Amino acid sequence: MADVLLTSRRVPPSSPPPAVTLPADEARRYLVGHHALARPVFPPGCRGVRALLKGLRCIQLDPLDVIGTNADLVALARVDGLARGDVYRHLMPGHAFEHFAKERCLLPASAFPHYRERALQAPMWRLQSRLERLPEAVLHKVLEEVEALGPATSKTLTDHGAVVPLDWSGWKGTGRATAMALEVLWMRSQVVVCGRAPGGKVYDVPRRALPRHADAPVTQSFERWALVERVEAAGLLSRASGPHWSTLTDVRTSRLPDTLVEEGVLEEVAIPGSPRRYLAPRGFREREFPEPDERMRILGPLDPVLWDRELVRRAFGFDYVWEVYKPPAQRRWGWYVCPLLHRGMLVGRLEGRVREDTLHVDNLWREKGVKLDDDALDAALARHAVACGVERVRRPRARVTS
């Protein structure tokens, strides 16, 4: 009877602390500072890119290169002394690798042990579908060849014939056995992407590409580590579903977010007028950031400050949808449109291309109620032209966002 009474009197688990209320203007100032968009805080050149990746936790990748890739644009908005393509040149090999975080990303080398351990626990990204198409012997041969040759692309390795390509949602995978084998080995963290070349992704084994981190131990589960990293990467991570939870959808609906709030590792945030709740890093209100400078910044369409479009509307009053995959008739603005950040506010957007020796701004919009600073815009475009290796800029007058 005593045992039963003791059991019935156990203290229930502690309830999570109440959400912190963060007004929209304070959320905006925090996000600008947290994402290093207030003024330059990193050294120029390669040292700055390496510090940037550690600070952002990840840089989302996209193959489109219109006025620089998304990775270029993320870096150029924050680090001086860079040219188009320097992100890869300064980070690989040794300082970064590619894997899925918020979609496909560049990740700091220190994150590799966590991905290595996760690869041992669970299959990812249709791995089983690839294994059903690929003879096991081909995997061994490709891995042995990469180990023997060093950095290699799929085209420089032995051709092992054809396989049935993956096909989902209109996306066609590779039909080459060697390339598919590299994808499997990469998902298993047996090889890593250590650079880019004209022939495609460059692969190597971790002990050569990431010698300081290939065999480093881990002390916590992948899910716990990855959730804290994602919150740091987002600044404010909405608990509602969305692309900002990419690769962590099961974590979102698990007990873990509440557990980390109860432990004080994360804080829960409410923004007045929004039904959503957000996860923030511990002590985020005590972090100090500089006041925004006078520089205008051209943001990449997948910049981390833009990940959560509802949060962007709430904090910045800015409606941004990347329309690159929409049919032309359904686009409100254009194909590859980049927001403009000035003095901590999103003040407009532009659509541009590099053609021959000129950075052409084909379309330019200012937000309603905003007087676009032409001098700041011209300076931003001049800096960007230099980074793209061109000599001139041509732009129209700004139209008002309807």
Side-chain angles (χ1 to χ4, degrees), residues 126-136 138 162-168 174 177 180:
R126 301 194 65 169
L127 178 59
Q128 187 58 40
S129 297
R130 289 177 171 86
L131 292 175
E132 291 169 358
R133 291 162 166 76
L134 195 65
E136 187 72 23
V138 172
V163 290
V164 177
L166 295 177
D167 183 359
W168 68 88
T174 181
M180 187 177 285

Side-chain angles (χ1 to χ4, degrees), residues 182-247:
L182 285 169
E183 290 177 351
V184 170
L185 295 169
W186 168 74
M187 282 185 280
R188 289 175 168 177
S189 295
Q190 292 175 275
V191 301
V192 294
V193 175
C194 65
R196 296 292 179 104
K201 301 180 188 74
V202 179
Y203 296 87
D204 203 356
V205 291
R207 62 180 170 78
R208 275 196 301 260
L210 305 170
R212 293 178 54 202
H213 301 281
D215 298 315
V218 296
T219 59
Q220 57 185 319
S221 71
F222 178 86
E223 291 76 14
R224 185 182 178 97
W225 170 84
L227 177 54
V228 174
E229 289 291 294
R230 185 65 57 84
V231 171
E232 285 284 358
L236 292 172
L237 184 68
S238 171
R239 299 194 64 165
S241 62
H244 46 279
W245 281 98
S246 177
T247 71

Side-chain angles (χ1 to χ4, degrees), residues 44-325:
C46 66
R47 289 180 56 235
V49 172
R50 293 166 186 175
L52 171 69
L53 181 59
K54 291 179 181 178
L56 294 185
R57 266 59 178 188
C58 63
I59 297 175
Q60 191 169 344
L61 299 175
D62 186 85
L64 295 175
D65 189 350
V66 183
I67 55 172
T69 65
N70 184 71
D72 288 324
L73 292 166
V74 168
L76 289 170
R78 296 164 170 86
V79 181
D80 291 331
L82 297 180
R84 192 179 188 178
D86 275 351
V87 172
Y88 273 98
R89 284 189 286 268
H90 293 331
L91 290 176
M92 292 183 164
H95 299 277
F97 68 106
E98 290 185 23
H99 222 294
F100 287 107
K102 166 62 171 63
E103 304 300 337
R104 193 176 187 114
C105 290
L106 279 171
L107 294 151
S110 59
F112 176 75
H114 299 278
Y115 278 80
R116 180 199 66 213
E117 294 303 305
R118 188 192 191 194
L120 299 175
Q121 299 169 15
M124 295 186 296
W125 292 93
R126 301 194 65 169
L127 178 59
Q128 187 58 40
S129 297
R130 289 177 171 86
L131 292 175
E132 291 169 358
R133 291 162 166 76
L134 195 65
E136 187 72 23
V138 172
L139 280 173
H140 292 303
K141 289 176 181 177
V142 171
L143 179 57
E144 288 174 358
E145 193 170 10
V146 174
E147 288 177 332
L149 293 180
T153 69
S154 66
K155 295 180 180 179
T156 61
L157 298 173
T158 300
D159 186 353
H160 292 282
V163 290
V164 177
L166 295 177
D167 183 359
W168 68 88
S169 301
W171 184 88
K172 290 281 188 180
T174 181
R176 298 178 57 240
T178 299
M180 187 177 285
L182 285 169
E183 290 177 351
V184 170
L185 295 169
W186 168 74
M187 282 185 280
R188 289 175 168 177
S189 295
Q190 292 175 275
V191 301
V192 294
V193 175
C194 65
R196 296 292 179 104
K201 301 180 188 74
V202 179
Y203 296 87
D204 203 356
V205 291
R207 62 180 170 78
R208 275 196 301 260
L210 305 170
R212 293 178 54 202
H213 301 281
D215 298 315
V218 296
T219 59
Q220 57 185 319
S221 71
F222 178 86
E223 291 76 14
R224 185 182 178 97
W225 170 84
L227 177 54
V228 174
E229 289 291 294
R230 185 65 57 84
V231 171
E232 285 284 358
L236 292 172
L237 184 68
S238 171
R239 299 194 64 165
S241 62
H244 46 279
W245 281 98
S246 177
T247 71
L248 295 178
T249 53
D250 291 342
V251 174
R252 185 187 75 84
T253 56
S254 73
R255 181 78 179 84
L256 184 59
D258 286 333
T259 297
L260 294 186
V261 171
E262 290 165 5
E263 292 177 0
V265 175
L266 301 176
E267 296 186 47
E268 190 166 59
V269 173
I271 297 178
S274 173
R276 295 188 173 188
R277 291 293 182 268
Y278 298 85
L279 297 172
R282 174 173 54 195
F284 75 101
R285 288 167 295 172
E286 283 72 54
R287 297 185 181 185
E288 295 184 0
F289 304 110
E291 287 297 311
D293 60 17
E294 294 300 310
R295 180 179 297 192
M296 187 175 290
R297 290 165 173 81
I298 301 169
L299 300 185
L302 300 173
D303 193 284
V305 80
L306 302 171
W307 281 356
D308 186 339
R309 305 296 160 78
E310 173 58 30
L311 179 58
V312 171
R313 280 190 288 271
R314 186 71 58 179
F316 291 88
F318 190 86
D319 185 16
Y320 181 62
V321 177
W322 195 31
E323 300 178 301
V324 70
Y325 297 115

